[in-house]
Structures are given as structure tokens and as C-alpha cells.
């Protein structure tokens, strides 16, 4: 599997750390073995927002890089609450996003108080204000979250309808638009394979983007991915996904003029003066899903919602939460439990049939 995406995240992380205080850099280094470059980059972005706010609201006239540990130690609960209000009401962050940013800050402050040590073995911070701050109380139950998700994912026969729409019907729908029709003719095998693989495995967008040819095991119907936390895992996918992948692989090299050293599984049409194909980017995949979803009449569909769709169907078929958790690569089983609350048409039908007298069932 390629490390190109991780390298890009790492380079962006290093650039961002140059703007932040030295102890943030030290903390990020401490976490490198446990978190992916993408996660660490998100942490650094959160810290920049916090330190920029401190600079504006706490009479720090210098660069945010120069904000001292002394300033952190003297922060009051009221000041931190003001920052959290700023996130929610001025930056329009949802309560769950505020909680995520607060979690990042709590982790940093915990490191400064309980893990990091000076040369004379004293903590960097004697007082940790973040330990006094409570998370937002997210009142939505798993069932409420699941119900909201239900209208935005594929259920029942929509799985196959959406796949067939991409493979064939989208082209028919746009046959009078030469540009759209030609573009669909060029990419329909690739796009069908992408959607089929997500719906047949539940892989994340980043995992799909980073796939190389050598990661696909065509005999065992599984794929090698690097999950969150840089953990290697072999993830199974459906036979239908394998069939669609084989159709795409049969035309990949010739249609996209792929050079021998390009090992990316999913590639773009040749671009640039030299006409080279490149690894398909995350944004390109997001846009193609958005395009098909809108034309299909379900504009709320996204790559992540396709992953949710897989998880819902898997649970309906297998009803094994630990196995689903492993398949999705969730670190917490609580996240996986959401799918046990989604009402699937297949499940509803089965329950409804329980009320029918046995003599009436053909």
C-alpha cells in the first residue's frame, strides 16, 4: 500500500507545527506511534484554533508560537468556556465537533501535567484547567442518530439499483449530453467498481484511495488496508465487488494509459501535457459519488453513507456486532452499535411475517 497520502499529511503537519508552541510539537511526537498522520494533523488544526483564540482574547501580543506554559497554567474555567462558546456560536461547530476539539485539548493538557517532565522531573503544568471542563451532553440516543442516518443511506433493493444506475442507467439518462455521456463511457467500469467495493466491504474513503494493485487478493476476496492507528488489516469484500473489480482491471491499463510503475488501483483519466494517469484523489471520488447520487435522486448519499449502507446490510444479514466492528475497523464497539438501531426493510418484513398465521404463509 502506498504511503503517499500519509506523507502528504505528515508534511502538512510539520508545516503547521512550525506555527505552534514547542510543547505541542513535543506532544505530537509523543503520539506519533499511536495515531495516524491524518489524526495528528486534525489535532494540530484544533490546537491552532485554540492558540489563535488565546492570542486574540488574552492579551498575548506576540506570535502564537511563543505562548508559554505559564499562560496555560493560569487559564480559568470561565476562559475555556468562552472558547467553547466561540467554537459553537461563532464558528458554528456542532456540539459533537466541540467535544472533539475539547478532547484534543484535554489530551494535550493531560500530557503536559501527567506525562511530560522537566530535567528535574517536575511536570510541565502543575494546574490543568481542562480537567475541570465537561463535555457537551449529547442528548441524541443511538436510536435517534440511527433514524437520522436511515434516510440518507441505501436500504433493501437500493443497493443493486444504485450500482446498476452507475453501470448503465446514468449513461442512458445523459445520452443527449455528449460530454457527460462520453465521460461515463470512459469511467463507468472504474466508478462501478469503486461503489461496489465500498458497498461490499465498508472501506473508508482514505482506504479506497490508498489501495494498490498488490493489495487485492482475488482468490480470497480480501484487501489489505492500513486502518486508523496505522494498523494493517485484511478486509473481506463481496463476490459482486470482485466481479466489478475484474471488469475494471481488464480495461485499466489500456483505457487510462497507465505506466508500469503506477501501482494505484484506482486511477484518473490521463492529464497534463504528458498525458499521465494518476492515483484518483479522495476529492475526485467524493465528487463522482455526489454526481451519481444526485442523478439517482438521493443527493444525501456520500462515500461515508455508502459505508453506513454496507454496515446496515451486514448487520441485517449476519447480526454479529464484534465481526462488524472488525470489518469496519472501529476502535469502539459503541460506534458499531449504532447500526443495530437502524430499521432495515428486510428486518421489518421478517417481523411483520411473524404476525401472519403459519397456514397463510406460502
Amino acid at each position: 500500500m502506498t504511503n503517499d497520502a500519509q506523507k502528504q499529511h505528515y508534511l502538512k503537519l510539520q508545516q503547521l507545527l512550525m506555527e505552534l508552541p514547542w510543547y505541542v510539537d513535543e506532544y505530537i511526537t509523543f503520539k506519533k506511534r499511536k495515531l495516524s498522520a491524518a489524526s495528528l494533523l486534525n489535532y494540530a488544526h484544533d490546537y491552532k484554533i485554540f492558540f489563535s483564540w488565546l492570542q486574540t482574547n488574552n492579551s498575548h501580543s506576540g506570535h502564537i508560537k511563543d505562548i508559554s506554559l505559564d499562560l496555560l497554567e493560569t487559564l480559568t474555567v470561565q476562559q475555556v468556556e468562552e472558547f467553547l462558546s466561540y467554537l459553537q456560536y461563532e464558528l458554528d461547530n456542532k456540539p459533537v465537533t466541540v467535544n472533539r476539539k475539547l478532547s484534543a485539548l484535554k489530551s494535550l493538557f493531560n500530557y503536559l501535567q501527567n506525562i511530560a517532565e522537566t530535567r528535574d522531573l517536575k511536570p510541565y503544568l502543575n494546574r490543568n484547567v481542562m480537567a475541570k471542563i465537561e463535555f457537551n451532553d449529547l442528548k441524541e440516543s443511538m436510536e435517534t442518530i440511527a433514524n437520522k442516518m436511515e434516510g440518507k443511506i441505501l436500504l433493501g433493493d437500493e443497493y443493486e439499483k444504485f450500482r446498476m444506475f452507475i453501470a448503465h442507467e446514468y449513461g442512458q439518462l445523459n445520452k443527449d449530453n455528449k460530454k457527460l455521456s462520453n465521460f461515463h463511457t470512459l469511467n463507468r467500469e472504474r466508478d462501478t467498481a469503486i461503489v461496489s467495493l465500498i458497498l461490499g466491504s465498508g472501506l473508508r474513503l482514505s482506504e479506497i484511495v490508498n489501495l494498490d494493485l498488490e493489495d487485492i487478493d482475488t482468490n480470497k476476496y480480501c484487501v489489505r488496508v492500513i486502518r486508523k492507528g496505522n494498523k494493517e488489516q485484511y478486509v473481506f469484500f463481496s463476490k459482486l465487488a470482485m466481479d466489478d473489480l475484474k471488469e475494471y482491471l481488464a480495461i485499466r491499463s489500456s483505457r487510462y494509459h497507465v505506466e508500469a510503475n503506477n501501482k494505484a488501483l484506482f486511477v484518473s483519466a490521463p492529464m497534463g501535457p504528458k498525458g499521465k494517469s494518476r492515483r484518483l484523489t479522495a476529492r475526485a471520488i467524493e465528487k463522482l459519488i455526489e454526481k451519481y447520487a444526485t442523478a439517482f435522486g438521493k443527493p444525501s448519499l456520500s462515500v461515508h453513507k455508502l459505508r453506513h449502507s454496507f454496515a446496515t446490510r451486514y448487520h441485517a444479514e449476519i447480526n454479529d456486532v464484534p465481526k462488524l466492528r472488525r470489518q469496519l475497523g472501529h476502535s469502539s464497539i459503541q460506534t458499531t452499535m449504532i447500526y443495530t438501531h437502524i430499521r432495515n426493510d428486510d428486518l421489518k418484513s421478517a417481523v411483520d411475517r411473524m404476525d401472519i398465521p403459519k397456514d397463510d404463509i406460502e
Side-chain angles (χ1 to χ4, degrees), residues 249-302:
L249 290 172
I251 55 90
R252 173 185 171 275
S253 296
S254 58
R255 188 175 299 175
Y256 292 94
H257 308 296
V258 184
E259 296 181 336
N261 62 353
N262 185 348
K263 302 301 182 183
L265 176 60
F266 294 115
V267 295
S268 66
M271 297 182 296
K274 296 184 179 180
K276 288 186 177 182
S277 60
R278 298 180 176 86
R279 181 181 299 275
L280 206 60
T281 66
R283 183 57 190 142
I285 294 177
E286 286 176 331
K287 288 176 70 175
L288 72 86
I289 298 299
E290 290 169 6
K291 175 185 71 175
Y292 290 123
T294 301
F296 184 68
K298 206 151 186 173
S300 60
L301 270 181
S302 63

Side-chain angles (χ1 to χ4, degrees), residues 50 202 293:
F50 175 66

Side-chain angles (χ1 to χ4, degrees), residues 28 36 40 82 100 140 211 216 221 256:
I28 293 294
S36 67
L40 293 174
E82 287 174 359
R100 183 182 61 77
E140 289 186 330
L211 286 177
I216 304 294
Y221 295 5
Y256 292 94

Side-chain angles (χ1 to χ4, degrees), residues 9 15 19 47-48 68 96 98 109 123 142 152 183 202 210 228-229 242 263 271 290-291 295 312 321 323 331:
H9 288 315
Q15 292 172 354
E19 304 175 38
Y47 297 147
K48 185 175 181 180
S68 67
V96 65
V98 174
F109 274 64
M142 284 187 183
K152 300 177 181 179
F183 202 74
N210 289 326
K228 286 186 175 182
M242 187 71 258
K263 302 301 182 183
M271 297 182 296
E290 290 169 6
K291 175 185 71 175
T312 303
V321 175
K323 285 183 179 178
S331 57

Side-chain angles (χ1 to χ4, degrees), residues 159 307-325 327-328 336-344 346-347:
Y159 293 84
R307 173 173 155 88
H308 289 325
S309 299
F310 163 81
T312 303
R313 189 171 195 176
Y314 187 102
H315 175 68
E317 297 288 342
I318 307 300
N319 193 21
D320 189 322
V321 175
K323 285 183 179 178
L324 177 57
R325 175 189 178 186
Q327 179 77 19
L328 296 175
T336 317
M337 289 296 292
I338 291 172
Y339 302 106
T340 67
H341 296 269
I342 293 179
R343 296 189 300 272
N344 189 295
D346 298 334
L347 290 177

